[in-house]
């Protein structure tokens, strides 16, 4: 069986750096997705990776607001990696959008709806179409260098999605959408317990505050040493993913490997 990895989206930020890191630290094929400019995304992922075989990278179009694009990408993945011959060992589900409402009066219906469609429904639709590629109980896993022991479906969450840790308020739609992501993670992991047993697990991840477009408005408010580069975040997140055990399933973990409480 051939293991492969999925990074969606991978056009910029942490997703881009995760795709690059997987190409450098593993030997498995990597499916990277972008909403547009697929050739440019491919160029950015491969930039400077002179020792990487370019045929290992497959760039597919996925717009998490368009289920048809997700379905079409899954069909292409099935062509590239027939389920009798390959399985999805690592899925990095990264969609994210933030509108920072500081008070209830700043909540805009359309912006809040777009936040949930991107941050919560996007990962749910990716689950719908790509989770069938994950191993089943009968699948013989391949231990590949640079990848976790079990197959892992990892979805980007955030510390502000924690209800018990919410001391400041604000960011209503973003907080709620990420809390929902953590619920989806737990629910999906319950499903994997039945379908895959100890062969696959689901977790959420908190990368810290990363210097990307998502957080640009808040860079000046971050404590010294706590604003991370996307490359650093990708390195730390892969360390966390690769060190998870079955006891860690269904929960949210930060870049240090510490649990983010529900």
């Amino acid at each position: 069986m051939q293991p492969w990895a999925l990074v969606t989206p991978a056009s910029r930020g942490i997703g881009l750096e995760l795709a690059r890191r997987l190409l450098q630290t593993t030997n498995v094929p990597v499916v990277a997705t972008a909403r547009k400019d697929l050739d440019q995304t491919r160029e950015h992922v491969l930039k400077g990776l002179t020792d990487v075989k370019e045929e290992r990278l497959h760039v597919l179009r996925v717009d998490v607001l368009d289920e048809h694009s997700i379905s079409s990408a899954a069909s292409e993945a099935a062509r590239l990696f027939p389920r009798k011959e390959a399985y999805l060992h690592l899925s990095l589900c990264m969609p994210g959008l933030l509108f920072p409402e500081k008070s209830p009066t700043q909540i805009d219906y359309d912006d809040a709806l777009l936040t949930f469609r991107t941050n919560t429904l996007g990962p749910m639709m990716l689950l719908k179409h790509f989770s069938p590629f994950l191993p089943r109980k009968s699948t013989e896993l391949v231990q590949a260098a640079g990848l976790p022991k079990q197959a892992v479906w990892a979805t980007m969450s955030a510390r502000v999605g924690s209800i018990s840790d919410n001391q400041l308020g604000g960011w209503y739609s973003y907080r709620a959408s990420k809390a929902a992501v953590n619920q989806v993670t737990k629910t999906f992991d319950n499903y994997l317990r039945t379908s895959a047993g100890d062969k696959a697990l689901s977790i959420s991840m908190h990368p810290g505050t990363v210097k990307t477009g998502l957080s640009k408005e808040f860079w000046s408010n971050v404590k010294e040493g706590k604003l991370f580069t996307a490359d650093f975040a990708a390195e730390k997140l892969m360390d966390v993913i690769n060190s998870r055990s079955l006891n860690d399933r269904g929960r949210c973990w930060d870049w240090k490997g510490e649990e983010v409480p529900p």
Side-chain angles (χ1 to χ4, degrees):
M1 295 287 281
Q2 169 66 64
W4 57 280
L6 170 70
V7 185
T8 177
S11 54
R12 59 183 179 178
I14 303 174
L16 170 63
E17 295 302 332
L18 282 167
R20 288 171 55 81
R21 181 160 293 277
L22 286 172
L23 288 171
Q24 294 175 85
T25 60
T26 78
N27 291 315
V28 302
V30 175
V31 173
T33 79
R35 185 168 53 88
K36 58 182 181 179
D37 301 327
L38 301 190
D39 290 341
Q40 184 181 76
T41 296
R42 181 177 183 83
E43 179 182 340
H44 288 171
V45 172
L46 291 172
K47 185 177 181 180
L49 305 185
T50 56
D51 296 332
V52 171
K53 295 181 179 180
E54 294 186 10
E55 59 268 26
R56 283 178 52 209
L57 176 64
H58 307 272
V59 182
L60 305 181
R61 179 184 177 272
V62 165
D63 180 349
V64 295
L65 303 180
D66 174 13
E67 185 180 359
H68 178 71
S69 75
I70 301 173
S71 174
S72 296
S75 295
E76 178 62 14
R79 185 190 69 80
L80 292 168
F81 307 107
R83 293 175 195 171
K84 292 183 179 180
E85 303 172 8
Y87 70 92
L88 178 59
H89 196 98
L90 177 62
S91 175
L92 301 172
C93 188
M94 313 297 293
L97 183 68
L98 168 62
F99 294 101
E101 314 102 336
K102 295 180 181 179
S103 74
T105 59
Q106 293 179 320
I107 300 172
D108 178 84
Y109 183 93
D110 290 333
D111 288 348
L113 181 60
L114 182 59
T115 298
F116 274 90
R117 290 184 66 202
T118 303
N119 295 356
T120 309
L121 289 174
M124 287 175 67
M125 291 300 100
L126 289 165
L127 275 178
K128 175 181 177 179
H129 293 284
F130 279 93
S131 64
F133 295 104
L134 290 168
R136 309 288 291 183
K137 287 182 178 178
S138 59
T139 303
E140 185 174 346
L141 298 186
V142 175
Q143 298 305 311
L147 291 179
K149 182 179 179 181
Q150 298 90 7
V152 173
W153 185 287
T155 305
M156 187 62 75
S157 185
R159 184 172 297 280
V160 296
S162 169
I163 296 173
S164 61
D165 190 54
N166 183 357
Q167 306 298 321
L168 297 176
W171 294 20
Y172 292 83
S173 57
Y174 187 72
R175 283 185 185 275
S177 71
K178 290 302 187 177
V181 163
N182 294 339
Q183 180 67 283
V184 171
T185 291
K186 176 61 177 177
T187 302
F188 180 53
D189 189 71
N190 287 339
Y191 170 82
L192 289 177
R193 288 174 182 267
T194 301
S195 66
D198 62 0
K199 301 292 181 66
L201 58 88
S202 174
I203 61 172
S204 298
M205 304 179 297
H206 167 58
T209 304
V210 183
K211 200 171 184 179
T212 65
L214 181 75
S215 63
K216 188 173 183 178
E217 185 178 339
F218 320 107
W219 292 351
S220 60
N221 298 326
V222 179
K223 294 180 181 179
E224 185 176 353
K226 295 297 185 180
L227 181 61
F228 306 139
T229 65
D231 181 59
F232 176 85
E235 176 186 357
K236 291 300 182 181
L237 290 177
M238 282 306 306
D239 287 346
V240 171
I241 289 169
N242 287 340
S243 61
R244 291 310 89 190
S245 71
L246 290 171
N247 292 329
D248 300 329
R249 62 189 309 158
R251 294 186 276 169
C252 183
W253 301 94
D254 74 5
W255 61 276
K256 295 175 291 186
E258 298 178 356
E259 183 179 5
V260 177

